[in-house]
Amino acid sequence: GAGVSQSPSNKVTEKGKDVELRCDPISGHTALYWYRQSLGQGLEFLIYFQGNSAPDKSGLPSDRFSAERTGGSVSTLTIQRTQQEDSAVYLCASSPGIYSNQPQHFGDGTRLSIL
Amino acid sequence: QKEVEQDPGPLSVPEGAIVSLNCTYSNSAFQYFMWYRQYSRKGPELLMYTYSSGNKEDGRFTAQVDKSSKYISLFIRDSQPSDSATYLCAMSASAGGTSYGKLTFGQGTILTVHP
């Protein structure tokens, strides 16, 4: 079956522009997670959704970052006024539920480069 | 100090060798332990998933968890060139509070298996 799908796969933009990254989870998965992978920091948790709610936003690095999920399916991560330090691979994962005994499955990520 | 420490390598071994990958952690709340494999420009792929202490075997892969030492390992037997990838350990706490399903990753170990 289809896995987690992320778009675009690559995004190059100028500093100060806004970007939107999209994630389509595995059908039927109620939990959705965003992570960021960068050379210096490894893979870091950003935010998770259970349905359309985001109980834990603790990993968002600044108020320039926001995310939403609609219809319990597609999620969008938005970065406003991008900075060079935002350059990274943004990964989305989904799982059947939010409990730790339900492993997460990842998409291939969006590679974001800020010029 | 990071919650999860993983030797980044790189690790280079000949085909057929036994590979040992390790992570240590400091958070005693971690109960679920995973190993992910990540090929270049791809998302992490779940390899092994274990709960609490003990061993789990799947084909050429064996995962071990020693909670008393806060130490986990992944062994790869009869390594193949196709095993060349970055291996990431990941952990999560049991359900409760705001840590539902949130994964904390090691830095990843780069493995090369040469023919």
Side-chain angles (χ1 to χ4, degrees):
Chain A
V4 177
S5 177
Q6 291 188 248
S7 60
S9 53
N10 291 281
K11 177 73 176 179
V12 181
T13 193
E14 292 180 348
K15 176 182 170 181
K17 301 286 189 183
D18 297 352
V19 295
E20 283 190 355
L21 312 179
R22 176 187 169 105
C23 173
D24 278 280
I26 293 171
S27 178
H29 281 193
T30 62
L32 186 148
Y33 304 81
W34 284 98
Y35 295 86
R36 178 168 73 173
Q37 187 172 32
S38 56
L39 275 177
Q41 299 299 319
L43 232 156
E44 303 173 290
F45 169 82
L46 297 178
I47 186 171
Y48 89 92
F49 289 89
Q50 169 61 9
N52 294 332
S53 300
D56 188 357
K57 305 179 183 180
S58 62
L60 294 178
S62 76
D63 58 8
R64 295 186 295 104
F65 287 72
S66 63
E68 66 174 12
R69 189 179 186 194
T70 55
S73 180
V74 172
S75 176
T76 303
L77 178 68
T78 301
I79 309 173
Q80 296 179 308
R81 305 181 302 281
T82 52
Q83 303 295 312
Q84 287 187 332
E85 61 263 28
D86 299 335
S87 296
V89 178
Y90 289 82
L91 290 160
C92 176
S94 71
S95 68
I98 61 171
Y99 295 98
S100 292
N101 63 347
Q102 295 171 306
Q104 297 174 29
H105 299 272
F106 284 80
D108 285 337
T110 293
R111 189 172 299 269
L112 177 64
S113 298
I114 310 300
L115 303 178
Chain B
Q1 183 185 0
K2 293 182 181 290
E3 278 190 294
V4 181
E5 299 280 357
Q6 182 177 6
D7 186 341
L11 185 60
S12 180
V13 302
E15 183 175 356
I18 296 174
V19 176
S20 172
L21 305 167
N22 311 293
C23 289
T24 59
Y25 63 95
S26 57
N27 188 346
S28 57
F30 289 144
Q31 300 267 8
Y32 298 87
F33 305 91
M34 287 135 272
W35 286 94
Y36 284 85
R37 177 175 63 195
Q38 187 174 25
Y39 292 114
S40 180
R41 306 187 78 86
K42 292 290 189 180
E45 169 195 4
L46 182 65
L47 271 181
M48 299 290 283
Y49 177 86
T50 54
Y51 169 68
S52 196
S53 284
N55 294 356
K56 184 174 183 178
E57 187 173 322
D58 184 1
R60 296 184 295 111
F61 299 91
T62 300
Q64 291 184 349
V65 175
D66 182 349
K67 288 191 67 182
S68 63
S69 300
K70 295 189 176 66
Y71 186 87
I72 70 170
S73 301
L74 177 71
F75 297 95
I76 307 174
R77 290 183 298 281
D78 188 25
S79 56
Q80 302 296 309
S82 58
D83 295 328
S84 298
T86 298
Y87 289 80
L88 297 151
C89 63
M91 310 177 186
S92 64
S94 57
T98 58
S99 65
Y100 283 21
K102 169 186 170 181
L103 294 179
T104 302
F105 283 85
Q107 288 286 92
T109 300
I110 300 170
L111 172 67
T112 302
V113 181
H114 51 86

Coordinates of all heavy atoms in Angstrom, one line a residue, chain B residues 19-102:
Chain B
V19 N 28.4 -6.9 12.3 CA 28.4 -5.4 12.7 C 27.7 -5.2 14.0 O 26.6 -5.8 14.2 CB 27.7 -4.6 11.6 CG1 27.7 -3.1 12.0 CG2 28.5 -4.7 10.3
S20 N 28.3 -4.4 14.9 CA 27.7 -4.1 16.2 C 27.5 -2.6 16.2 O 28.4 -1.8 16.1 CB 28.6 -4.6 17.3 OG 28.1 -4.1 18.5
L21 N 26.2 -2.2 16.4 CA 25.9 -0.7 16.6 C 25.3 -0.5 17.9 O 24.5 -1.4 18.4 CB 24.9 -0.3 15.5 CG 25.4 -0.6 14.0 CD1 24.2 -0.5 13.1 CD2 26.5 0.3 13.6
N22 N 25.6 0.6 18.6 CA 25.2 0.8 19.9 C 24.7 2.2 20.2 O 25.1 3.2 19.6 CB 26.4 0.5 20.9 CG 27.1 -0.7 20.5 OD1 26.6 -1.8 20.7 ND2 28.3 -0.6 20.0
C23 N 23.8 2.3 21.2 CA 23.4 3.6 21.7 C 23.3 3.5 23.3 O 22.9 2.4 23.8 CB 22.0 4.0 21.2 SG 22.0 4.4 19.5
T24 N 23.6 4.6 23.9 CA 23.3 4.7 25.3 C 22.3 5.9 25.5 O 22.2 6.8 24.7 CB 24.6 5.0 26.1 OG1 25.2 6.2 25.6 CG2 25.6 3.9 26.0
Y25 N 21.6 5.8 26.7 CA 20.6 6.8 26.9 C 20.6 7.2 28.4 O 21.1 6.4 29.2 CB 19.3 6.4 26.4 CG 18.7 5.2 27.1 CD1 17.8 5.3 28.2 CD2 19.0 3.9 26.6 CE1 17.3 4.2 28.8 CE2 18.5 2.8 27.2 CZ 17.6 2.9 28.3 OH 17.1 1.8 28.9
S26 N 20.0 8.3 28.7 CA 20.0 8.8 30.1 C 18.6 8.8 30.7 O 18.5 8.8 31.9 CB 20.6 10.1 30.2 OG 20.0 11.1 29.4
N27 N 17.6 8.8 29.9 CA 16.2 9.0 30.4 C 15.6 7.6 30.7 O 15.3 6.8 29.9 CB 15.3 9.7 29.3 CG 14.0 10.0 29.8 OD1 13.5 9.5 30.8 ND2 13.3 10.8 29.0
S28 N 15.4 7.4 32.0 CA 14.9 6.1 32.5 C 13.5 5.8 32.1 O 12.9 4.7 32.3 CB 15.1 5.9 34.0 OG 14.5 7.0 34.7
A29 N 12.8 6.9 31.6 CA 11.4 6.7 31.2 C 11.3 6.0 29.8 O 10.2 5.6 29.5 CB 10.7 8.1 31.1
F30 N 12.3 5.9 29.1 CA 12.3 5.2 27.8 C 11.9 3.8 28.0 O 12.6 3.1 28.8 CB 13.6 5.4 27.0 CG 13.8 6.8 26.5 CD1 15.1 7.3 26.5 CD2 12.8 7.6 26.0 CE1 15.4 8.6 26.0 CE2 13.1 8.9 25.6 CZ 14.4 9.3 25.6
Q31 N 10.9 3.3 27.2 CA 10.4 1.9 27.3 C 10.5 1.2 26.0 O 10.4 0.0 25.9 CB 9.0 1.9 27.9 CG 8.8 2.5 29.2 CD 8.9 1.5 30.3 OE1 9.3 0.4 30.1 NE2 8.6 1.9 31.5
Y32 N 10.4 2.0 24.9 CA 10.3 1.5 23.6 C 11.5 1.9 22.8 O 11.9 3.0 22.8 CB 9.0 2.0 22.9 CG 7.7 1.6 23.6 CD1 7.3 2.4 24.6 CD2 7.1 0.4 23.2 CE1 6.1 2.0 25.3 CE2 5.9 0.1 23.9 CZ 5.4 0.9 24.9 OH 4.3 0.5 25.6
F33 N 12.1 0.9 22.1 CA 13.4 1.1 21.5 C 13.3 0.6 20.0 O 12.9 -0.5 19.8 CB 14.5 0.3 22.2 CG 14.5 0.7 23.7 CD1 13.8 0.0 24.6 CD2 15.3 1.8 24.1 CE1 13.8 0.4 26.0 CE2 15.3 2.2 25.4 CZ 14.6 1.5 26.4
M34 N 13.8 1.4 19.1 CA 13.7 1.1 17.7 C 15.1 1.4 17.0 O 15.9 2.2 17.5 CB 12.7 2.1 17.1 CG 11.3 1.8 17.4 SD 10.3 3.3 17.8 CE 10.6 3.4 19.5
W35 N 15.3 0.6 16.0 CA 16.4 0.9 15.0 C 15.8 1.2 13.7 O 14.9 0.4 13.2 CB 17.3 -0.3 15.0 CG 18.2 -0.4 16.2 CD1 17.9 -1.2 17.3 CD2 19.4 0.2 16.4 NE1 18.9 -1.1 18.2 CE2 19.8 -0.2 17.7 CE3 20.2 1.1 15.7 CZ2 21.0 0.2 18.3 CZ3 21.4 1.6 16.3 CH2 21.8 1.1 17.6
Y36 N 16.2 2.3 13.1 CA 15.8 2.7 11.8 C 17.1 2.6 10.9 O 18.2 2.9 11.3 CB 15.3 4.1 11.7 CG 13.9 4.2 12.3 CD1 13.6 4.4 13.6 CD2 12.8 4.2 11.4 CE1 12.3 4.5 14.1 CE2 11.5 4.3 11.8 CZ 11.2 4.5 13.2 OH 9.9 4.6 13.7
R37 N 16.9 2.3 9.6 CA 17.9 2.4 8.6 C 17.5 3.5 7.6 O 16.4 3.6 7.2 CB 18.0 1.0 7.8 CG 19.0 1.0 6.7 CD 19.1 -0.4 6.1 NE 17.8 -0.9 5.6 CZ 17.6 -2.1 5.2 NH1 18.4 -3.1 5.5 NH2 16.4 -2.4 4.7
Q38 N 18.5 4.3 7.2 CA 18.2 5.4 6.3 C 19.3 5.4 5.2 O 20.5 5.6 5.4 CB 18.3 6.8 7.1 CG 17.8 7.9 6.2 CD 17.8 9.2 7.0 OE1 18.4 9.4 8.1 NE2 16.9 10.1 6.6
Y39 N 18.8 5.2 4.0 CA 19.6 5.3 2.8 C 19.6 6.8 2.4 O 18.8 7.6 2.7 CB 19.0 4.5 1.7 CG 19.1 3.0 1.9 CD1 18.0 2.2 2.0 CD2 20.4 2.4 2.0 CE1 18.1 0.8 2.3 CE2 20.5 1.0 2.2 CZ 19.3 0.2 2.3 OH 19.4 -1.1 2.5
S40 N 20.7 7.1 1.6 CA 20.9 8.5 1.2 C 19.6 9.1 0.5 O 19.1 8.4 -0.4 CB 22.1 8.6 0.3 OG 22.3 9.9 -0.1
R41 N 19.2 10.3 0.9 CA 18.1 11.0 0.4 C 16.7 10.2 0.5 O 15.8 10.5 -0.3 CB 18.4 11.4 -1.1 CG 19.7 12.1 -1.3 CD 19.8 12.6 -2.7 NE 19.0 13.8 -2.9 CZ 19.4 15.1 -2.7 NH1 20.6 15.3 -2.1 NH2 18.6 16.1 -2.9
K42 N 16.7 9.3 1.5 CA 15.4 8.6 1.8 C 15.1 8.8 3.2 O 15.9 9.3 4.0 CB 15.6 7.1 1.5 CG 15.8 6.8 0.1 CD 14.5 7.0 -0.7 CE 14.6 6.4 -2.1 NZ 13.3 6.6 -2.9
G43 N 13.8 8.5 3.6 CA 13.4 8.6 5.0 C 13.8 7.4 5.8 O 14.2 6.4 5.2
P44 N 13.9 7.5 7.1 CA 14.2 6.4 7.9 C 13.2 5.2 7.7 O 12.0 5.5 7.7 CB 14.1 6.9 9.3 CG 14.3 8.4 9.2 CD 13.6 8.7 7.9
E45 N 13.7 4.0 7.7 CA 12.9 2.8 7.5 C 13.0 2.0 8.8 O 14.1 1.7 9.2 CB 13.4 2.0 6.3 CG 12.9 0.6 6.1 CD 13.7 -0.2 5.1 OE1 14.8 0.3 4.7 OE2 13.4 -1.3 4.9
L46 N 11.9 1.6 9.4 CA 11.9 0.9 10.6 C 12.5 -0.5 10.4 O 12.0 -1.3 9.5 CB 10.5 0.8 11.2 CG 10.4 0.0 12.5 CD1 11.1 0.8 13.6 CD2 8.9 -0.1 12.9
L47 N 13.5 -0.9 11.2 CA 14.1 -2.2 11.1 C 13.7 -3.1 12.2 O 13.3 -4.3 12.0 CB 15.7 -2.1 11.2 CG 16.5 -1.9 9.9 CD1 17.9 -1.8 10.3 CD2 16.2 -3.0 8.9
M48 N 13.8 -2.6 13.4 CA 13.6 -3.4 14.6 C 12.9 -2.6 15.6 O 13.1 -1.4 15.8 CB 14.9 -3.9 15.2 CG 15.7 -4.8 14.3 SD 14.9 -6.4 14.1 CE 15.3 -7.2 15.6
Y49 N 12.0 -3.2 16.4 CA 11.2 -2.5 17.4 C 11.1 -3.5 18.6 O 10.7 -4.6 18.5 CB 9.8 -2.3 16.8 CG 8.9 -1.6 17.8 CD1 8.8 -0.3 17.9 CD2 8.0 -2.4 18.5 CE1 8.0 0.4 18.8 CE2 7.1 -1.8 19.4 CZ 7.1 -0.4 19.5 OH 6.2 0.2 20.4
T50 N 11.5 -3.0 19.8 CA 11.5 -3.8 21.0 C 10.9 -3.0 22.2 O 11.0 -1.8 22.2 CB 12.9 -4.3 21.4 OG1 13.8 -3.2 21.5 CG2 13.4 -5.3 20.4
Y51 N 10.3 -3.7 23.1 CA 9.7 -3.1 24.3 C 10.5 -3.6 25.5 O 10.7 -4.8 25.6 CB 8.3 -3.5 24.4 CG 7.7 -3.1 25.7 CD1 7.5 -1.7 26.1 CD2 7.3 -4.1 26.7 CE1 7.0 -1.4 27.3 CE2 6.8 -3.7 27.9 CZ 6.6 -2.4 28.2 OH 6.1 -2.0 29.4
S52 N 11.0 -2.7 26.3 CA 11.7 -3.0 27.6 C 12.9 -3.8 27.3 O 13.5 -3.7 26.2 CB 10.7 -3.7 28.5 OG 11.3 -3.7 29.8
S53 N 13.4 -4.5 28.2 CA 14.7 -5.3 28.1 C 14.5 -6.6 27.4 O 13.4 -7.1 27.3 CB 15.3 -5.5 29.5 OG 15.8 -4.4 30.0
G54 N 15.6 -7.1 26.8 CA 15.5 -8.4 26.1 C 16.1 -8.3 24.7 O 16.7 -7.3 24.3
N55 N 16.0 -9.5 24.0 CA 16.5 -9.6 22.7 C 15.4 -9.8 21.7 O 14.3 -10.4 22.1 CB 17.5 -10.8 22.6 CG 18.7 -10.6 23.4 OD1 18.9 -9.6 24.0 ND2 19.5 -11.7 23.5
K56 N 15.6 -9.4 20.5 CA 14.7 -9.7 19.4 C 15.5 -10.0 18.1 O 16.4 -9.2 17.8 CB 13.7 -8.5 19.2 CG 12.6 -8.8 18.1 CD 11.7 -7.6 18.1 CE 10.5 -7.9 17.1 NZ 9.6 -6.8 17.1
E57 N 15.1 -11.0 17.4 CA 15.8 -11.4 16.2 C 14.9 -11.4 15.0 O 13.7 -11.8 15.1 CB 16.4 -12.8 16.4 CG 17.3 -13.3 15.3 CD 18.0 -14.6 15.6 OE1 18.4 -14.8 16.8 OE2 18.1 -15.4 14.7
D58 N 15.4 -10.9 13.9 CA 14.7 -10.9 12.7 C 15.7 -11.1 11.5 O 16.3 -10.2 11.1 CB 13.9 -9.6 12.5 CG 13.0 -9.6 11.3 OD1 13.0 -10.6 10.5 OD2 12.4 -8.5 11.0
G59 N 15.7 -12.3 11.0 CA 16.7 -12.6 10.0 C 18.1 -12.4 10.4 O 18.5 -12.9 11.4
R60 N 18.8 -11.5 9.7 CA 20.2 -11.3 10.0 C 20.4 -10.2 11.1 O 21.5 -9.9 11.5 CB 21.0 -10.8 8.8 CG 21.0 -11.8 7.7 CD 21.9 -11.4 6.5 NE 21.3 -10.2 5.8 CZ 21.8 -9.0 5.8 NH1 22.9 -8.7 6.5 NH2 21.2 -8.0 5.1
F61 N 19.3 -9.7 11.6 CA 19.3 -8.6 12.6 C 18.9 -9.1 14.0 O 17.9 -9.8 14.1 CB 18.4 -7.4 12.1 CG 18.8 -6.8 10.8 CD1 18.2 -7.3 9.6 CD2 19.7 -5.8 10.7 CE1 18.6 -6.8 8.4 CE2 20.0 -5.2 9.5 CZ 19.5 -5.7 8.4
T62 N 19.7 -8.6 15.0 CA 19.3 -8.9 16.4 C 19.4 -7.6 17.1 O 20.4 -6.9 17.1 CB 20.2 -9.9 17.0 OG1 20.2 -11.2 16.3 CG2 19.9 -10.2 18.5
A63 N 18.3 -7.3 17.8 CA 18.3 -6.1 18.7 C 18.4 -6.5 20.2 O 17.7 -7.5 20.5 CB 17.1 -5.2 18.4
Q64 N 19.2 -5.8 20.9 CA 19.3 -6.1 22.4 C 19.0 -4.8 23.2 O 19.5 -3.8 22.8 CB 20.7 -6.7 22.7 CG 21.0 -8.0 22.2 CD 22.3 -8.6 22.7 OE1 23.1 -7.8 23.2 NE2 22.6 -9.8 22.4
V65 N 18.3 -5.0 24.3 CA 18.1 -3.8 25.2 C 18.5 -4.2 26.6 O 18.0 -5.3 27.1 CB 16.6 -3.4 25.1 CG1 16.3 -2.3 26.2 CG2 16.2 -3.0 23.8
D66 N 19.3 -3.5 27.2 CA 19.7 -3.6 28.6 C 19.3 -2.4 29.3 O 20.1 -1.4 29.4 CB 21.2 -3.9 28.7 CG 21.6 -4.2 30.2 OD1 20.8 -3.9 31.1 OD2 22.8 -4.6 30.3
K67 N 18.1 -2.4 29.9 CA 17.6 -1.2 30.6 C 18.4 -0.8 31.8 O 18.5 0.3 32.2 CB 16.1 -1.3 30.9 CG 15.2 -1.3 29.7 CD 13.8 -1.1 30.1 CE 13.5 0.2 30.8 NZ 12.1 0.3 31.2
S68 N 19.0 -1.9 32.5 CA 19.7 -1.6 33.7 C 21.0 -0.8 33.4 O 21.4 0.0 34.2 CB 20.1 -2.9 34.4 OG 21.0 -3.7 33.6
S69 N 21.5 -1.0 32.2 CA 22.7 -0.3 31.8 C 22.4 0.9 30.9 O 23.3 1.7 30.5 CB 23.7 -1.2 31.1 OG 24.1 -2.2 31.9
K70 N 21.1 1.0 30.5 CA 20.7 2.1 29.6 C 21.5 2.0 28.3 O 22.1 3.0 27.9 CB 20.8 3.5 30.2 CG 19.8 3.7 31.4 CD 19.8 5.1 31.8 CE 18.8 5.4 33.0 NZ 19.2 4.7 34.2
Y71 N 21.5 0.8 27.7 CA 22.3 0.5 26.6 C 21.5 -0.4 25.6 O 20.9 -1.4 26.0 CB 23.5 -0.2 27.1 CG 24.6 -0.5 26.1 CD1 25.6 0.4 25.9 CD2 24.7 -1.8 25.5 CE1 26.7 0.1 25.0 CE2 25.7 -2.1 24.6 CZ 26.7 -1.1 24.4 OH 27.7 -1.4 23.5
I72 N 21.5 0.0 24.3 CA 20.9 -0.9 23.3 C 21.9 -1.1 22.2 O 22.8 -0.3 21.9 CB 19.6 -0.3 22.8 CG1 19.8 1.0 21.9 CG2 18.6 0.1 23.9 CD1 18.6 1.4 21.1
S73 N 21.7 -2.3 21.5 CA 22.6 -2.7 20.5 C 21.8 -3.3 19.3 O 20.7 -3.8 19.5 CB 23.5 -3.8 21.0 OG 24.3 -3.3 22.0
L74 N 22.4 -3.2 18.1 CA 21.9 -3.8 16.9 C 23.0 -4.6 16.3 O 24.1 -4.0 16.1 CB 21.3 -2.8 15.9 CG 20.8 -3.4 14.6 CD1 19.5 -4.2 14.8 CD2 20.6 -2.4 13.5
F75 N 22.8 -5.9 16.1 CA 23.8 -6.7 15.5 C 23.3 -7.1 14.1 O 22.2 -7.5 13.9 CB 24.1 -8.0 16.3 CG 24.7 -7.7 17.6 CD1 23.8 -7.6 18.7 CD2 26.0 -7.5 17.8 CE1 24.3 -7.3 20.0 CE2 26.6 -7.2 19.1 CZ 25.7 -7.1 20.2
I76 N 24.2 -7.0 13.1 CA 23.9 -7.4 11.7 C 24.9 -8.5 11.4 O 26.1 -8.3 11.4 CB 24.1 -6.3 10.7 CG1 23.3 -5.0 11.2 CG2 23.7 -6.7 9.3 CD1 23.6 -3.8 10.3
R77 N 24.4 -9.7 11.1 CA 25.2 -10.9 10.8 C 25.3 -10.9 9.2 O 24.5 -10.5 8.5 CB 24.6 -12.2 11.3 CG 24.6 -12.3 12.8 CD 24.0 -13.7 13.1 NE 22.6 -13.8 12.7 CZ 21.6 -13.3 13.4 NH1 21.9 -12.6 14.5 NH2 20.4 -13.4 13.0
D78 N 26.5 -11.5 8.8 CA 26.7 -11.7 7.4 C 26.4 -10.4 6.6 O 25.5 -10.4 5.7 CB 25.8 -12.9 6.8 CG 26.1 -13.2 5.4 OD1 27.3 -13.0 5.0 OD2 25.2 -13.8 4.7
S79 N 27.0 -9.3 7.0 CA 26.7 -8.0 6.4 C 26.9 -8.0 4.9 O 27.8 -8.7 4.3 CB 27.5 -6.9 7.0 OG 28.9 -7.2 7.0
Q80 N 26.1 -7.3 4.2 CA 26.1 -7.2 2.7 C 26.3 -5.7 2.3 O 25.9 -4.8 3.0 CB 24.7 -7.7 2.2 CG 24.4 -9.1 2.6 CD 25.3 -10.1 2.0 OE1 25.6 -10.1 0.8 NE2 25.9 -11.0 2.8
P81 N 26.8 -5.5 1.1 CA 27.0 -4.1 0.6 C 25.7 -3.4 0.7 O 25.7 -2.1 0.9 CB 27.5 -4.3 -0.8 CG 28.3 -5.6 -0.8 CD 27.5 -6.5 0.2
S82 N 24.5 -4.1 0.5 CA 23.2 -3.4 0.5 C 22.9 -2.9 1.9 O 21.9 -2.1 2.1 CB 22.1 -4.3 0.0 OG 22.1 -5.5 0.8
D83 N 23.6 -3.3 2.9 CA 23.4 -2.8 4.3 C 24.0 -1.5 4.5 O 23.8 -0.9 5.6 CB 24.0 -3.8 5.3 CG 23.3 -5.2 5.4 OD1 22.0 -5.2 5.1 OD2 23.9 -6.2 5.6
S84 N 24.8 -1.0 3.6 CA 25.5 0.3 3.7 C 24.4 1.4 3.8 O 23.6 1.6 2.8 CB 26.4 0.5 2.5 OG 27.4 -0.4 2.4
A85 N 24.4 2.1 4.9 CA 23.4 3.1 5.2 C 23.7 3.8 6.5 O 24.7 3.4 7.1 CB 22.0 2.4 5.3
T86 N 22.9 4.7 6.9 CA 23.0 5.3 8.2 C 22.0 4.6 9.1 O 20.8 4.4 8.7 CB 22.7 6.8 8.2 OG1 23.7 7.4 7.4 CG2 22.7 7.4 9.6
Y87 N 22.4 4.1 10.3 CA 21.5 3.4 11.2 C 21.3 4.4 12.4 O 22.2 4.9 13.1 CB 22.2 2.1 11.7 CG 22.2 1.1 10.6 CD1 23.2 1.2 9.6 CD2 21.2 0.1 10.5 CE1 23.1 0.3 8.5 CE2 21.2 -0.8 9.4 CZ 22.2 -0.7 8.5 OH 22.1 -1.5 7.4
L88 N 20.0 4.5 12.7 CA 19.6 5.4 13.7 C 18.9 4.7 14.8 O 17.9 3.9 14.6 CB 18.5 6.5 13.2 CG 19.0 7.4 12.1 CD1 17.9 7.8 11.2 CD2 19.7 8.6 12.7
C89 N 19.3 4.9 16.1 CA 18.5 4.3 17.2 C 17.5 5.4 17.6 O 17.7 6.6 17.4 CB 19.4 3.9 18.4 SG 20.3 5.3 19.2
A90 N 16.3 4.9 18.1 CA 15.3 5.9 18.5 C 14.6 5.3 19.7 O 14.5 4.0 19.9 CB 14.3 6.1 17.4
M91 N 14.0 6.1 20.6 CA 13.4 5.7 21.8 C 12.2 6.5 22.1 O 12.2 7.7 21.8 CB 14.4 5.8 23.0 CG 15.7 5.2 22.7 SD 16.9 5.3 23.9 CE 18.3 4.6 23.1
S92 N 11.3 5.9 22.9 CA 10.1 6.7 23.4 C 9.7 6.2 24.7 O 10.0 5.1 25.1 CB 9.0 6.7 22.4 OG 8.5 5.4 22.2
A93 N 9.1 7.1 25.5 CA 8.6 6.8 26.8 C 7.2 6.1 26.7 O 6.6 6.1 25.6 CB 8.5 8.0 27.6
S94 N 6.8 5.5 27.7 CA 5.4 4.9 27.8 C 4.4 6.1 27.7 O 4.7 7.2 27.9 CB 5.2 4.1 29.0 OG 5.4 4.9 30.2
A95 N 3.2 5.7 27.3 CA 2.1 6.7 27.2 C 1.9 7.5 28.5 O 2.0 6.9 29.5 CB 0.8 6.0 26.7
G96 N 1.7 8.7 28.3 CA 1.5 9.5 29.5 C 2.0 10.9 29.3 O 3.0 11.1 28.6
G97 N 1.4 11.9 29.9 CA 1.8 13.3 29.8 C 1.8 13.7 28.3 O 0.9 13.3 27.6
T98 N 2.7 14.5 27.9 CA 2.8 15.0 26.5 C 3.8 14.3 25.7 O 4.2 14.7 24.6 CB 3.1 16.5 26.5 OG1 4.3 16.7 27.2 CG2 2.0 17.3 27.2
S99 N 4.3 13.1 26.2 CA 5.3 12.4 25.4 C 4.8 11.3 24.6 O 5.6 10.5 24.1 CB 6.4 11.9 26.4 OG 5.8 10.8 27.2
Y100 N 3.5 11.3 24.3 CA 3.0 10.2 23.5 C 3.7 10.1 22.2 O 3.7 11.0 21.4 CB 1.5 10.6 23.2 CG 0.5 10.3 24.4 CD1 0.9 10.3 25.7 CD2 -0.8 10.2 24.1 CE1 0.0 10.1 26.7 CE2 -1.7 10.0 25.1 CZ -1.3 9.9 26.4 OH -2.2 9.7 27.4
G101 N 4.3 8.9 22.1 CA 4.9 8.5 20.8 C 6.1 9.4 20.3 O 6.7 9.0 19.3
K102 N 6.4 10.4 21.0 CA 7.5 11.3 20.6 C 8.8 10.5 20.6 O 9.2 9.9 21.6 CB 7.6 12.5 21.5 CG 8.9 13.3 21.3 CD 8.9 14.4 22.4 CE 10.2 15.1 22.4 NZ 10.3 16.1 23.5

